[in-house]
Amino acid sequence: MGCVSDKRWESFPDMFSAGLSLKETQDGEKEAKFNATFPFEKVFPVYAMSLSKPDTDSILNSGRDPIWEAVREEAKLEAEKEPILSSFLYASILAHDCLEQALAFVLANRLQNPTLLATQLMDIFSNVMMHDRDIQRSIRLDVQAFIDRDPSCLSYSSALLYLKGYHSLQSYRVAHALWKQGRNVLALALQSRISEVFGVDIHPAAKIGDGILLDHGTGVVIGETAVVGNRVSLMHGVTLGGTGKETGDRHPKVGDLALLGACVTVLGNIKIGEGAMIAAGSLVLKHVPPHSMVAGTPAQVIGSIDEQDPSLTMNHDATKEFFKHLAVSFRDGRSKYQRMMRKTRMVDIDVNVHCQLQLYVKKNKTRMVKVPWKPAFCPLY
């Protein structure tokens, strides 16, 4: 958006209040109406220069869209509570006719830079999202995942406007669509901007399912051949990487409904089973069975998941299971060490007796019948 003077910024709330009027509908609800005299083209030049109104027939649900209706209603209420945000809420949500257009506007303004203008980005995002039914479904399932699983996400509109985990995920979806269209250079340019702005690096060729929670998002790295299933929850700092410079299929495959805790690192072309839970800080180097709980560096199976799928319950506290596993491992290791020491002492006694017998025969110059000798226990025999 263009720069404006301080005086003009001070007049925004007054201008918006003059242009916005709330009228009672037949159902007793309030509906926002904007006066035609309000200079929206001057206040919001990016929107005024963007695409014309969308063809709503191409929307996934051409009829009623409950999520979009909730977003608009929340934006109206927030504009009443915080008049200083009224212009921002109008430009980002209320000025648009569908969720796709609003999301395109938000992402374009987050990712713009001096050489990649917001108007250009909005055209790119809008064209992709308005004609891709898979993305139309994904952006709704993803925002619902944030509402259901992230206690800090208070509303649909807050996810759309403020959560960079959601922003980076939807920006990736556009880059992925461009990659499939063969527009690799543009897709990689978007990946670079996403990494710079949000701190999330997802290769546009990676495959990610629907209903994904990218909580916080900071530090998440997902490689080129990685696959993430549906309804997966990823905490900050998760890495799905390779193990070297080899080419081909070299990145992890995460099953549906899995939960990867903060700073989990999964390396190589290995499988994370459906419904598995990986505790925070784990280094996973081998396959993880479905519905299992793993922890440690390197990660080991410490239990199983008998309850609901962990990605939905978001219960990734493996402390009890980890220390139980640690105690059992210590007990088994100690018992094994004690058994090994007892066997070693038996070998020492047998060898000592045999040596003394040979010394006695040598001193007394007597003949000893050669009998095959074998110690009571010796790992070498």
Side-chain angles (χ1 to χ4, degrees):
M1 296 176 67
C3 297
V4 294
S5 64
D6 295 338
K7 182 178 179 180
R8 193 169 181 182
W9 275 113
E10 292 173 359
S11 63
F12 273 2
D14 297 335
M15 294 170 64
F16 187 84
S17 299
L20 173 65
S21 62
L22 295 173
K23 293 184 178 181
E24 292 281 344
T25 62
Q26 294 180 354
D27 299 331
E29 299 180 353
K30 290 184 177 181
E31 181 179 5
K33 297 291 184 180
F34 297 95
N35 298 330
T37 58
F38 186 69
F40 292 122
E41 290 79 6
K42 296 181 180 180
V43 178
F44 309 114
V46 171
Y47 178 70
M49 294 170 59
S50 65
L51 295 175
S52 58
K53 290 187 177 181
D55 179 12
T56 53
D57 292 335
S58 65
I59 303 299
L60 182 63
N61 298 319
S62 58
R64 184 170 176 267
D65 187 351
I67 291 181
W68 175 235
E69 292 175 2
V71 169
R72 287 184 60 86
E73 188 62 31
E74 292 164 0
K76 295 174 186 177
L77 295 176
E78 292 301 324
E80 292 183 21
K81 293 179 183 177
E82 290 290 349
I84 196 171
L85 294 177
S86 56
S87 59
F88 166 70
L89 292 168
Y90 173 79
S92 302
I93 295 176
L94 298 175
H96 306 284
D97 292 336
C98 64
L99 181 61
E100 287 75 11
Q101 281 290 101
L103 181 58
F105 179 89
V106 172
L107 297 180
N109 282 276
R110 291 296 304 272
L111 295 173
Q112 66 170 326
N113 66 10
T115 58
L116 198 57
L117 303 181
T119 51
Q120 296 172 320
L121 288 172
M122 187 169 179
D123 286 348
I124 294 170
F125 287 127
S126 296
N127 283 327
V128 171
M129 288 191 286
M130 296 302 294
H131 297 92
D132 193 320
R133 294 177 64 86
D134 291 334
I135 290 183
Q136 293 169 13
R137 181 181 65 253
S138 296
I139 63 177
R140 289 166 173 81
L141 293 176
D142 291 343
V143 74
Q144 189 64 52
F146 277 79
I147 290 290
D148 294 340
R149 301 178 223 164
D150 186 357
S152 66
C153 183
L154 304 178
S155 62
Y156 292 101
S157 60
S158 65
L160 175 65
L161 295 173
Y162 310 123
L163 299 187
K164 71 172 185 176
Y166 182 74
H167 293 163
S168 59
L169 184 58
Q170 307 321 314
S171 302
Y172 147 78
R173 295 195 185 282
V174 174
H176 180 65
L178 294 172
W179 183 273
K180 291 192 298 182
Q181 295 173 11
R183 305 173 70 181
N184 295 1
V185 175
L186 181 56
L188 292 173
L190 280 179
Q191 177 198 3
S192 176
R193 283 301 295 160
I194 296 167
S195 177
E196 292 174 12
V197 175
F198 302 126
V200 176
D201 195 354
I202 306 177
H203 196 283
K207 299 177 181 178
I208 300 179
D210 301 325
I212 304 298
L213 171 63
L214 208 59
D215 196 14
H216 300 292
T218 304
V220 170
V221 177
I222 300 179
E224 179 182 6
T225 60
V227 177
V228 179
N230 297 321
R231 306 173 76 185
V232 172
S233 296
L234 305 175
M235 302 297 104
H236 61 276
V238 169
T239 297
L240 304 180
T243 57
K245 61 180 182 179
E246 70 275 7
T247 59
D249 195 358
R250 61 193 184 278
H251 293 102
K253 312 295 181 285
V254 181
D256 297 345
L257 297 161
L259 169 61
L260 278 64
C263 299
V264 164
T265 300
V266 187
L267 300 179
N269 186 14
I270 61 178
K271 294 182 179 180
I272 307 300
E274 178 180 347
M277 194 278 277
I278 303 179
S282 300
L283 172 61
V284 184
L285 301 175
K286 58 184 180 181
H287 299 301
V288 176
H291 300 285
S292 61
M293 182 185 301
V294 301
T297 305
Q300 298 180 4
V301 177
I302 62 173
S304 59
I305 305 294
D306 298 326
E307 303 174 353
Q308 299 180 23
D309 295 291
S311 67
L312 304 183
T313 61
M314 293 300 291
N315 181 16
H316 48 94
D317 182 9
T319 305
K320 180 178 179 181
E321 288 77 7
F322 176 75
F323 282 106
K324 183 188 297 185
H325 175 77
L326 190 65
V328 172
S329 299
F330 177 77
R331 182 192 64 193
D332 294 344
R334 184 175 180 181
S335 300
K336 183 177 180 180
Y337 173 77
Q338 291 174 343
R339 290 195 301 269
M340 183 180 67
M341 291 302 295
R342 285 197 297 268
K343 293 174 182 178
T344 302
R345 285 196 295 270
M346 291 174 63
V347 171
D348 291 341
I349 293 172
D350 284 352
V351 171
N352 188 37
V353 170
H354 183 72
C355 292
Q356 289 181 359
L357 180 60
Q358 284 186 329
L359 182 62
Y360 174 80
V361 171
K362 185 176 181 181
K363 284 185 177 181
N364 293 276
K365 297 181 179 180
T366 58
R367 302 180 82 185
M368 183 177 69
V369 179
K370 291 185 178 181
V371 179
W373 173 80
K374 181 180 180 181
F377 174 83
C378 182
L380 302 178
Y381 283 82

